[in-house]
Amino acid sequence: MGKIKIEKKDIWIDMTPMSDVMTLLLCFFMLTSTFLTPEPIKVNTPSSVSEVKVPENNVLNILVSPTGQIFVGTENKNVMNDMLATVTDKFGIQLNATQIKHYKEDAMIGAPLSQLAAYLSLEPEKMGEAIQKLGIPTDSIDGGMSELQEWIKAAKESNPDLKIAIKCDATTKYEVVKKMMSELQDMNENRYQLITNLKTASED
């Protein structure tokens, strides 16, 4: 008895709809994602049980390194530009076009006013190395406000709705944090948030 041959048919699947869906998902994630602002110093924040989230917009970030260096910045570039204009005008600091360009590309302010022009004159790759040894001073200027207070004041003048968030390293000395908070209190800035990591069950 002869065998019956079953005709083999190729199975063809149209992948066009799946490609369309993948493209739409990729566009969605690209448009809705928030990119993290690079920080000049790596900071390991302490743990806490608080689950209050820091707002994503209108936040002035104060970063404190393990060795006590202080940096200030916000993702609002208009505020950053206003801060620079206010502080340089007040202290008579002249910056050229290249220095201003480097400032706009930098993530945070972290150089003393006496070294600001020299710092912004460096090449971008060298700025990352130099800022590791700098930081905004908290000493008063001629018995008045400190440089940290001047930058914060300039930011609040640009946008009074700015909220202050402090991010300290877990090993930062208490004296440094206390000094910084005292400066905020002297400016009547008594409302601010401390950025921490959520404590896990293994840390209890």
Side-chain angles (χ1 to χ4, degrees):
M1 184 177 178
K3 294 183 179 179
I4 300 175
K5 292 184 179 180
I6 301 175
E7 183 180 357
K8 294 182 179 180
K9 296 182 179 180
D10 293 332
I11 299 175
W12 181 79
I13 300 175
D14 187 5
M15 301 295 291
T16 303
M18 190 173 76
S19 300
D20 293 340
V21 171
M22 293 299 294
T23 303
L24 289 173
L25 286 173
L26 179 61
C27 291
F28 171 78
F29 287 119
M30 289 178 62
L31 294 172
T32 58
S33 61
T34 302
F35 295 97
L36 295 176
T37 303
E39 297 177 341
I41 298 287
K42 185 177 180 180
V43 170
N44 296 317
T45 55
S47 300
S48 73
V49 295
S50 175
E51 295 186 22
V52 179
K53 292 185 177 181
V54 177
E56 294 183 0
N57 301 316
N58 291 331
V59 177
L60 181 67
N61 296 298
I62 301 178
L63 182 69
V64 186
S65 74
T67 54
Q69 298 161 288
I70 298 177
F71 308 89
V72 175
T74 175
E75 293 184 359
N76 190 323
K77 293 301 181 182
N78 292 328
V79 174
M80 290 286 285
N81 295 339
D82 291 343
M83 291 168 65
L84 180 67
T86 300
V87 173
T88 52
D89 287 347
K90 182 173 181 177
F91 294 96
I93 301 173
Q94 301 292 329
L95 299 178
N96 57 39
T98 302
Q99 292 168 333
I100 295 175
K101 178 177 179 291
H102 288 171
Y103 170 85
K104 292 181 178 180
E105 294 172 350
D106 214 0
M108 303 187 85
I109 303 162
L113 294 177
S114 60
Q115 302 179 45
L116 183 61
Y119 167 70
L120 294 175
S121 298
L122 298 173
E123 294 298 325
E125 57 271 12
K126 293 184 179 180
M127 288 173 63
E129 299 176 4
I131 203 171
Q132 305 284 326
K133 304 174 183 177
L134 301 176
I136 301 176
T138 55
D139 300 326
S140 62
I141 305 172
D142 298 329
M145 300 177 69
S146 68
E147 292 188 21
L148 175 63
Q149 291 174 324
E150 292 287 355
W151 285 111
I152 296 174
K153 179 184 176 183
K156 297 291 284 188
E157 287 178 353
S158 175
N159 185 357
D161 295 328
L162 277 180
K163 298 175 179 61
I164 297 176
I166 301 173
K167 185 176 182 180
C168 298
D169 192 89
T171 60
T172 303
K173 292 183 178 180
Y174 171 73
E175 292 80 5
V176 176
V177 181
K178 182 181 179 181
K179 169 69 173 174
M180 182 183 56
M181 290 182 175
S182 296
E183 296 216 344
L184 291 174
Q185 291 175 352
D186 291 341
M187 301 175 65
N188 293 322
E189 295 291 344
N190 299 313
R191 296 179 65 87
Y192 44 81
Q193 293 176 299
L194 297 175
I195 300 176
T196 58
N197 290 323
L198 186 61
K199 183 182 289 186
T200 60
S202 60
E203 294 177 314
D204 293 333

